Amino acid sequence: MNIRIEPSWKEALKEEFGKEYFKQLTEFVKREYLSTTVYPPPKFVFNAFELCPFDKVEVVILGQDPYHGAGQAHGLSFSVPEGQRIPPSLQNIYKEIKNDLGAAAGSAAGTNSEIPKSGNLEHWAKQGVLLLNATLTVRASTPGSHQHQGWEAFTDAVIRTISDKKEHVVFILWGRYAREKAALIDGSKHLILESAHPSPFSATHFFGNHHFSQTNAYLEKHGKQAIKWI
């Protein structure tokens, strides 16, 4: 099956594209785009992979569904395009970054340490942060509508492939759903960071996890560049 995805990922995941579940998933997604409004736009379905090639992956941040509102989803977990209002979970992520890294985060990024006014996280992806949703498409205004159609099998394969073929990657798992994916990861050669989800419903248990400073310390320990989070 000829899937339009970044070449290094196409090679790394080539076995998945020929499997029966992926063929059925492809047909399902095609029908959905033809019959209803689906997010993100087709050109952004594999945007996380396009912006963060397989050989560049240093960090994985796992989300669940794309945003289901107009103009919000662009293929990166927790991220929204320029001009979109910053969602509550991302606002809390920014607060934790500021509290965790403080002025050091701002000076490292060449900016001040104020919370960003944009929710576009493409600059994370381009530094090697794979912003992966477990499900890569969703019907408008209907969260969870494309779950259990095959996307989870595919993104589980993505996680396993990174775990098996790379070393010293940081996997950031927020919330119960993401934390269940820890079973796919070899903790002897990667760093797994788990906490509550940054949603306003659980943010009190999310704040103070220090995942951003822990990520950078681990990367630097293994001779890699720290991420400029803001």
Side-chain angles (χ1 to χ4, degrees):
M1 185 177 296
N2 185 26
I3 300 298
R4 294 182 180 178
I5 193 171
E6 192 276 331
S8 67
W9 283 108
K10 192 168 188 177
E11 175 63 24
L13 300 169
K14 58 186 177 182
E15 293 183 5
E16 295 304 307
F17 300 130
K19 292 181 178 179
E20 186 60 30
Y21 86 84
F22 197 87
K23 295 176 184 178
Q24 294 177 5
L25 169 63
T26 300
E27 291 305 312
F28 167 78
V29 172
K30 285 180 179 177
R31 290 195 304 270
E32 287 286 286
Y33 273 108
L34 288 172
S35 62
T36 189
T37 301
V38 173
Y39 300 126
K43 67 179 180 179
F44 290 136
V45 170
F46 293 115
N47 198 27
F49 304 89
E50 188 68 31
L51 294 175
C52 185
F54 179 74
D55 60 332
K56 302 294 186 184
V57 175
E58 305 291 358
V59 180
V60 179
I61 298 181
L62 186 66
Q64 191 163 355
D65 267 3
Y67 295 119
H68 53 84
Q72 291 182 302
H74 65 146
L76 306 177
S77 62
F78 295 101
S79 178
V80 291
E82 298 290 342
Q84 285 286 326
R85 183 177 180 180
I86 300 175
S89 290
L90 183 52
Q91 291 181 32
N92 288 334
I93 290 169
Y94 282 161
K95 289 176 185 177
E96 175 59 21
I97 292 172
K98 183 178 180 182
N99 292 335
D100 186 13
L101 301 178
S107 61
T111 64
N112 61 40
S113 60
E114 292 305 307
I115 292 174
K117 293 181 171 57
S118 169
N120 190 331
L121 302 180
E122 288 183 3
H123 62 293
W124 291 8
K126 292 174 181 177
Q127 295 178 77
V129 181
L130 182 67
L131 295 163
L132 180 67
N133 279 315
T135 302
L136 300 188
T137 54
V138 68
R139 283 186 187 179
S141 304
T142 316
S145 51
H146 284 189
Q147 292 176 5
H148 312 302
Q149 298 294 335
W151 277 131
E152 295 91 342
F154 175 71
T155 53
D156 281 359
V158 171
I159 295 168
R160 280 195 301 267
T161 298
I162 296 170
S163 177
D164 292 347
K165 295 185 178 182
K166 296 180 71 73
E167 292 186 342
H168 308 313
V169 172
V170 182
F171 290 84
I172 297 178
L173 310 178
W174 293 326
R176 181 185 58 81
Y177 181 86
R179 295 173 77 171
E180 290 175 352
K181 305 297 183 179
L184 304 172
I185 304 161
D186 183 350
S188 70
K189 63 174 183 174
H190 302 289
L191 176 63
I192 303 171
L193 298 176
E194 303 181 43
S195 81
H197 195 277
S199 160
F201 298 106
S202 53
T204 54
H205 300 288
F206 169 79
F207 292 131
N209 63 28
H210 300 291
H211 282 180
F212 303 98
S213 59
Q214 289 184 66
T215 294
N216 282 353
Y218 181 84
L219 294 176
E220 291 179 324
K221 176 183 176 182
H222 292 285
K224 301 182 179 185
Q225 289 287 328
I227 304 299
K228 296 178 180 178
W229 296 108
I230 60 174

